[in-house]
Amino acid sequence: MTRRGLLRRAAGVTIAAAAGPALLSVPTYAVPGPTGNGKTEEASGDGRSGVATGTAGPNGWELEKAADAGGAVWTRPVPGTGLAGVAVRMGDVETVLVHVIRRFHYEIDQMKPGEVIGWRKPGEVRKGLAEVNQASGTAVQIRPGHYPHGARGGFHPVQTAVVRDVLAELEGVVRWGGDDSTPDESLFYLDAPPGDDRLTRVAARLRGWQEDPARGAGTHVDVQDPRRRQAAQELHTRQTKRSR
């Protein structure tokens, strides 16, 4: 089906972002690896047992039944965007996915509340597709109504160059659904399993940029720089060799 046809089918369907304001304090939770402050948290009480599914998503991260309910998935702020927040897995995953959202907002198009969807219930995602990773808090959809599932061509070349630059900047720990065999150009998902050293390294670098006003999302990035373009193309070649 053409992109126009899919957009017509999607017309009138309102997709809401994960509800709830950004949290100022969060109970202790369990994550498979370092958290945003470089420490590994331990589960407290039996809160996490109420959301754990024991089932891993396509990228290896455990699906959770609920967000903001004592597990590893919480609604987190997206600084500088005006978005109410996004439900994602805490720690390094949060750091990486929030960076993707912020660069999209600054360099592709400004987003409004409700245009980013993070965690979704396991029963709400389509089985066998990369969007299942949303149920583990390791994927986000950006404007799914604009980029309908199964269609390509939603981004013009300059926007696509930004997407590819972001992926290369993150050293391939995030994959774009637009590169999947059944495309979903709204989807960005973690492409690194729990315990992957790349995720730890990339997240640490992004947190370090927070101390430097000349680095990170919101600063000028020349996506046409030959070195950046080469890195983006090399990553694209590697990722698309692995069919999804």
Side-chain angles (χ1 to χ4, degrees):
M1 181 177 289
T2 65
R3 179 172 181 267
R4 178 174 296 177
L6 286 167
L7 282 170
R8 286 175 176 172
R9 178 181 292 181
V13 178
T14 301
I15 304 177
L23 301 180
L24 298 179
S25 61
V26 179
T28 307
Y29 54 89
V31 293
T35 63
N37 59 11
K39 300 178 180 179
T40 299
E41 303 289 347
E42 301 293 338
S44 64
D46 60 358
R48 191 176 184 289
S49 65
V51 299
T53 64
T55 301
N59 61 9
W61 295 79
E62 185 181 9
L63 312 184
E64 297 207 351
K65 301 174 185 176
D68 303 326
V73 180
W74 291 85
T75 302
R76 303 302 299 152
V78 186
T81 65
L83 299 174
V86 59
V88 291
R89 199 172 198 91
M90 295 283 286
D92 291 343
V93 176
E94 171 195 349
T95 299
V96 168
L97 292 180
V98 166
H99 181 76
V100 172
I101 297 168
R102 295 183 70 205
R103 280 203 60 182
F104 189 106
H105 179 82
Y106 291 131
E107 299 174 53
I108 294 180
D109 198 11
Q110 294 185 3
M111 291 175 288
K112 301 178 179 65
E115 293 188 327
V116 179
I117 303 173
W119 174 87
R120 293 165 61 194
K121 294 180 180 179
E124 293 180 351
V125 293
R126 287 170 285 196
K127 302 297 185 292
L129 299 175
E131 71 179 59
V132 172
N133 295 313
Q134 285 181 272
S136 66
T138 61
V140 296
Q141 286 179 308
I142 299 177
R143 289 181 168 173
H146 290 66
Y147 313 111
H149 181 82
R152 299 188 192 276
F155 292 82
H156 61 65
V158 174
Q159 293 174 324
T160 301
V162 173
V163 169
R164 302 239 173 266
D165 187 82
V166 174
L167 301 179
E169 183 174 69
L170 298 177
E171 300 182 24
V173 301
V174 170
R175 183 180 173 99
W176 180 37
D179 287 331
D180 292 347
S181 55
T182 301
D184 184 348
E185 293 186 334
S186 73
L187 187 69
F188 295 85
Y189 60 95
L190 202 69
D191 198 25
D196 193 311
D197 290 340
R198 293 177 304 151
L199 176 60
T200 303
R201 181 177 65 250
V202 169
R205 174 161 50 85
L206 294 178
R207 287 192 290 270
W209 287 354
Q210 296 173 5
E211 307 300 323
D212 185 348
R215 306 291 295 274
T219 61
H220 174 71
V221 176
D222 182 7
V223 300
Q224 300 300 330
D225 179 272
R227 291 172 298 180
R228 297 184 74 103
R229 291 186 65 182
Q230 180 179 353
Q233 183 56 50
E234 290 175 352
L235 175 64
H236 179 215
T237 300
R238 292 197 304 272
Q239 288 189 322
T240 52
K241 281 182 178 179
R242 295 177 290 125
S243 61
R244 293 293 176 87

